[in-house]
Amino acid sequence: MPTLAERYAAAYDQVQVATQKANRAAGSVKLLAVSKTKPVSDIEAVAALGQIDFGENYAQEAVEKAQKLSHLGLQWHFIGPIQSNKTRPLAEHMDWIHTVERDKIARRLNDQRPANLKPLNVCIQVNASAEPQKSGVSVAEIGPLAALIDELPQLQLRGLMAIVENTADQARLAQQFTLMAEQLELLQRNYPSVDTLSMGMTQDLQPAIHHGSTMVRIGTAIFGARQPKAAPEQ
Ligand SMILES: *Cc1c(COP(=O)(O)O)cnc(C)c1O
């Protein structure tokens, strides 16, 4: 069994190799370490290797970990579904929210972001595969939500996020990643703060990077398989 340090090094390498193969600049793709369900000791171990950005997708767990590890100066990214009664702790303790998909959530995050903190970095989640059960706005809804976020002083619009279809069909993946890259480019024309395309996970990081991802969200490859959650906590 490889150690956590070995798995982290391998995942880090995979991102560098995919970046190079895509003829993209070194360092243009950030690795977000997705530590959901994993113990704080695993996060400390990976942070000790130089990793700064960590992703979580259960609100309570995200906030508890961020508080426990606040002395490490890490960047916390929330990548899970957001219920409106959970926005306050997220606004107070996260550095990034990747999953904004409603006006109401954007407004609450803005209103609840403490004035002494930097604006919260925000990505709009897009349902790139148009699967009915999936979270995220449609392409037509990106513009209006971006315009709202741009007006909210305690939010900084950084880009778009997608969880693409879980499929091995490379043509379908390519279509969804390409759609996202095109939408990011359109958004960048109107908003200079936009620089982030959050897409790609353990299974599809290579095609995601090939098609323009700037942030891959990697859990399993670094931390190993997760136990399924017994019951949803939110
Ligand atoms: C869990 C999760 C990931 C990481 O998935 P892996 O397949 O373990 O790399 C990425 N993005 C989101 C939104 C997730 O919930």
Side-chain angles (χ1 to χ4, degrees):
M1 282 279 284
T3 64
L4 185 51
E6 285 164 348
R7 283 197 304 257
Y8 175 70
Y12 188 88
D13 267 9
Q14 257 189 302
V15 173
Q16 310 317 310
V17 169
T19 305
Q20 221 169 31
K21 275 200 179 141
N23 289 318
R24 297 181 50 197
S28 58
V29 182
K30 191 173 249 183
L31 170 56
L32 177 61
V34 178
S35 45
K36 65 185 184 207
T37 79
K38 298 296 177 180
V40 161
S41 56
D42 280 5
I43 299 174
E44 288 172 316
V46 172
L49 301 169
Q51 177 68 26
I52 291 170
D53 293 276
F54 289 86
E56 289 283 340
N57 79 339
Y58 304 99
Q60 192 182 327
E61 181 185 348
V63 167
E64 280 171 14
K65 286 172 169 173
Q67 284 180 304
K68 243 180 221 160
L69 297 174
S70 62
H71 57 287
L72 293 181
L74 303 175
Q75 289 277 305
W76 291 95
H77 298 243
F78 190 72
I79 61 172
I82 307 176
Q83 296 194 332
S84 54
N85 63 349
K86 295 285 174 68
T87 50
R88 184 179 295 280
L90 293 174
E92 289 175 350
H93 295 284
M94 295 292 109
D95 300 289
W96 285 72
I97 308 281
H98 290 225
T99 44
V100 173
E101 54 168 358
R102 286 193 285 150
D103 289 9
K104 181 183 173 190
I105 296 292
R107 285 206 174 87
R108 288 178 68 93
L109 289 169
N110 177 71
D111 294 347
Q112 295 168 344
R113 179 69 167 173
N116 64 318
L117 296 182
K118 280 195 234 163
L120 187 57
N121 296 295
V122 161
C123 292
I124 295 172
Q125 183 173 0
V126 181
N127 185 356
S129 55
E131 292 168 274
Q133 79 283 10
K134 271 261 173 82
S135 301
V137 302
S138 67
V139 163
E141 293 165 322
I142 296 173
L145 184 52
L148 171 70
I149 292 169
D150 188 57
E151 280 181 9
L152 297 172
Q154 282 295 81
L155 302 185
Q156 174 82 278
L157 180 64
R158 295 297 296 269
L160 301 176
M161 178 272 203
I163 304 171
V164 301
E165 204 174 334
N166 183 6
T167 174
D169 183 335
Q170 293 304 311
R172 291 182 72 86
L173 286 178
Q175 185 186 32
Q176 292 163 31
F177 287 139
T178 302
L179 172 79
M180 291 297 293
E182 289 167 355
Q183 290 304 313
L184 189 85
E185 203 183 306
L186 289 173
L187 204 58
Q188 280 176 313
R189 290 188 198 162
N190 290 327
Y191 306 105
S193 62
V194 167
D195 59 2
T196 300
L197 188 50
S198 166
M199 63 184 194
M201 317 190 348
T202 294
Q203 287 310 319
D204 55 17
L205 76 92
Q206 210 226 320
I209 290 172
H210 178 78
H211 291 287
S213 170
T214 71
M215 202 183 291
V216 286
R217 308 179 306 262
I218 308 299
T220 309
I222 298 173
F223 296 100
R226 290 177 292 272
Q227 301 293 336
K229 274 225 150 206
E233 53 102 359
Q234 13 191 10

